[in-house]
Amino acid sequence: MAKKRVVVLGSTGSIGTQTLDVVRRHADKLEVVALAVGARADELLAQARAFGVRHLAVGREEVAGLPVADDLRAQAHGGEGEGSLAFGPEGVAALAHLPEADVVVNALVGAAGLRASFEALSAGKVLALANKESLVVGGDLIMPLAARVDEQRRARGMAPKTGPAGALMPIDSEHGAIYQCLLGEDEREVSRLWVTASGGPFRGRKRSELEGITPAQALAHPTWNMGAKISIDSSTLMNKGLEVIEAHHLFAMPYDKIEVVVQPQSAIHSMVEYSDGSVKAHLGTTDMRIPIQFALSYPERWSAPVAPLDFRTLGSLEFAAPDTETFRCLALAREAGRTGGTLPCVMNAANEVAVAAFLAEEGTYLGIAACVEAVMEAHAAEGVQQVESLGQLEEVDAWARAKARAWVKAR
Ligand SMILES: NC(=O)c1ccc[n+]([C@@H]2O[C@H](COP(=O)([O-])OP(=O)(O)OC[C@H]3O[C@@H](n4cnc5c(N)ncnc54)[C@H](OP(=O)(O)O)[C@@H]3O)[C@@H](O)[C@H]2O)c1
């Protein structure tokens, strides 16, 4: 069978490097054809050389003036066949519709990833999506595009005989788990999705115990090793809020059928409950290469990238309700999701600004939820709009960022 040709956007990050590791392990089935990063051009160059990649992009335009840019040009334009090198956000998003690509892994961080998701599906590619913010902000635009690519894949005989056609493959472990629990089932029989949460490093603490939390404390996630932004989101439970909205879009599930349950061992990656009371759970080693590989191998299964769970040494599995009084971001995200329209876009943008301020020690930990709430209220007062276009979302996103920055500065 022909190799799947893969674009990796965000190749130097936590998901990006693990994606490259999966490609390395399955080099007979996968080939990298393009790579994009934000600023770490030296690492990009090393990856491009190691995987023989000639289509490259760097998000930060100023990198074009650095000495490493000459080496990147030589890598892109040297040798046989065509290559390309671009600097700036358009260049990154343009890789998503590269003619020689089959699959785009979107491992960018934040709403900056929405355009690439949009471009990938518009060009009829399979989108392997880690960038959950794409769906939180633009799910109303992305899901109809994914349905169109699913139809194209069925019409061209590219879809499996049963099950989803595979245009939009979630990489988030929870959504990958739900995707697998739904295989072979009638979705009308689903009574609830159970999205599991580790609870983050501050599980069990009360609000007063979260004052003065430092970035180093919040970055120390108990079970997953991830990029900085998602680590902070996990600690505030905003990550779970984003995932609830992501699940709503991906599985066309109303919010009252999406529950969150804390499962501190992170062994159960999520569950689906059916009308007859049966519950299917997906368990696995806490290693993102498993869901990344499934997103790339579907409808096949390939040999495991890591040692599977050994149930004899797993010990106990605990469950608890999330504390949304203390971790208000989860409740705020649910509210944004239920309201819908442009409110999730505003919520997400305010969160990105508040998290960046906290990491830069310009804002406080408890200020994250407070900032998100204040900016959501301001938007609700002005009037939440229906989502109509990418341009509209970019404008709303910019408005919310400006409001959030002003809020942080005023504190
Ligand atoms: N990490 C996980 O375990 C995990 C699990 C589930 C879902 N996710 C989701 O996956 C996404 C990526 O997370 P991560 O943890 O891998 O993040 P990360 O480690 O911070 O990596 C982000 C990647 O995106 C690149 N990037 C950042 N801004 C960019 C821009 N403007 N243009 C082009 N590239 C840019 C970075 O490049 P530089 O290195 O050059 O800055 C880096 O390659 C997030 O949406 C996250 O929520 C992550």
Side-chain angles (χ1 to χ4, degrees), residues 96-242:
H97 52 72
L98 199 67
E100 49 266 60
D102 303 308
V103 184
V104 175
V105 174
N106 186 346
L108 301 173
V109 188
L114 172 59
R115 187 166 282 275
S117 292
F118 189 86
E119 297 281 353
L121 290 169
S122 300
K125 313 290 185 198
V126 168
L127 175 63
L129 188 65
N131 179 260
K132 62 192 85 187
E133 296 90 342
S134 289
L135 283 178
V136 170
V137 175
D140 294 339
L141 300 177
I142 294 294
M143 292 315 296
L145 283 177
R148 207 173 69 191
V149 180
D150 274 339
E151 269 174 39
Q152 291 166 359
R153 289 173 62 74
R154 286 200 180 93
R156 291 183 196 145
M158 296 165 80
K161 289 201 174 56
T162 57
L168 177 40
M169 296 300 302
I171 282 182
D172 234 339
S173 60
E174 295 77 0
H175 304 77
I178 292 169
Y179 197 98
Q180 296 191 48
C181 291
L182 288 171
L183 290 177
E185 299 289 349
D186 181 342
E187 292 183 15
R188 288 168 303 184
E189 301 290 1
V190 174
S191 47
R192 275 187 292 189
L193 304 181
W194 286 92
V195 179
T196 51
S198 71
F202 308 131
R203 181 171 59 90
R205 293 202 196 180
K206 291 292 161 204
R207 211 175 133 69
S208 59
E209 296 169 285
L210 295 177
E211 271 165 27
I213 288 291
T214 65
Q217 290 170 309
L219 285 169
H221 195 275
T223 49
W224 296 99
N225 184 10
M226 310 179 286
K229 194 254 175 187
I230 184 175
S231 296
I232 303 302
D233 285 349
S234 297
S235 77
T236 61
L237 292 200
M238 176 55 92
N239 184 48
K240 223 35 66 180
L242 299 178

Side-chain angles (χ1 to χ4, degrees), residues 268-291:
I268 298 183
H269 296 148
S270 278
M271 300 176 276
V272 178
E273 181 186 310
Y274 290 92
S275 53
D276 64 352
S278 301
V279 180
K280 281 169 90 174
H282 176 281
L283 285 84
T285 307
T286 50
D287 189 304
M288 285 307 294
R289 286 172 295 183
I290 294 177

Side-chain angles (χ1 to χ4, degrees), residues 394-410:
E394 283 167 357
E395 268 178 36
V396 171
D397 175 274
W399 174 89
R401 279 170 205 269
K403 278 271 174 212
R405 279 192 206 102
W407 189 94
V408 170
K409 216 168 159 199

Side-chain angles (χ1 to χ4, degrees), residues 282-330:
H282 176 281
L283 285 84
T285 307
T286 50
D287 189 304
M288 285 307 294
R289 286 172 295 183
I290 294 177
I292 293 169
Q293 181 172 304
F294 180 75
L296 294 172
S297 72
Y298 178 80
E300 298 174 5
R301 289 190 188 271
W302 301 338
S303 59
V306 288
L309 267 187
D310 182 346
F311 289 93
R312 291 162 302 193
T313 57
L314 188 59
S316 59
L317 291 175
E318 298 163 85
F319 301 91
D323 174 0
T324 50
E325 293 272 303
T326 305
F327 300 98
R328 290 170 51 234
C329 284
L330 174 55

